[in-house]
Amino acid sequence: MTTEIPLDNPRRHTTVLAATPKGAAICRRIARRQLAAWELNFTHTEPYYSALLIIAELAANAISHGRVPGRGFELHLSLTASARRGTTLRIEISDCKGDRLPVLPARLNPNSQSGRGLTLVNALADRWGTIPRHPNAKTIWAELDLADAS
């Protein structure tokens, strides 16, 4: 069975997903479809693939570290244009655990099976950070500056 994923406004997309492994997989699929609808896979190939990796990591963190039973997480994607930065792709993943803010590890344990997600986000994104959400939630955001397509 194939289900169609509706695409939002040409410059923004928001969806709420279950905080489960299936929800994270659907998040990745929605993001891939939305970014392709914006044609970033053709016009900005490297940021497109970087965005998909960032989204995968942040969605995995949301279901692993930000999960509250019975509550979901939110994906928000937007394209904005400014004179200073040009076009920017902003990725936001919001979860329901505002008491657990992510911290970039000072150094990685080479023997650890986890703990590399934020290091990857830090390496791929031009900027990233957290925003507290009322009453006890948080948003992790990452931005990618898109060079003008020639």
Side-chain angles (χ1 to χ4, degrees):
M1 177 176 128
T2 303
T3 56
E4 288 300 312
I5 300 169
L7 302 178
D8 273 353
N9 177 303
R11 308 290 280 182
R12 290 188 315 260
H13 179 84
T14 301
T15 191
V16 177
L17 300 134
T20 63
K22 184 175 182 177
I26 293 169
C27 176
R28 294 188 304 269
R29 185 171 144 208
I30 289 170
R32 187 176 62 247
R33 293 257 333 257
Q34 183 64 59
L35 297 177
W38 289 337
E39 298 184 350
L40 296 184
N41 54 333
F42 297 118
T43 61
H44 297 86
T45 307
E46 187 174 330
Y48 169 78
Y49 288 110
S50 294
L52 293 179
L53 285 170
I54 290 168
I55 291 161
E57 289 299 332
L58 295 181
N61 285 352
I63 67 164
S64 299
H65 308 295
R67 185 173 185 278
V68 173
R71 300 193 55 198
F73 73 98
E74 181 179 289
L75 165 69
H76 179 78
L77 302 170
S78 63
L79 286 174
T80 57
S82 72
R84 186 169 152 231
R85 286 199 176 114
T87 303
T88 299
L89 171 63
R90 184 173 173 102
I91 301 160
E92 296 179 359
I93 301 272
S94 301
D95 65 47
C96 297
K97 279 210 175 164
D99 58 330
R100 297 188 66 183
L101 296 177
V103 177
L104 186 63
R107 63 177 203 210
L108 297 174
N109 178 349
N111 299 319
S112 176
Q113 295 294 316
S114 62
R116 292 172 177 79
L118 286 179
T119 302
L120 181 64
V121 171
N122 189 57
L124 295 172
D126 291 302
R127 291 164 298 287
W128 74 275
T130 63
I131 302 169
R133 290 180 68 166
H134 184 73
N136 186 24
K138 69 179 173 297
T139 297
I140 312 301
W141 59 269
E143 291 182 340
L144 294 165
D145 295 330
L146 305 179
D148 290 336
S150 300

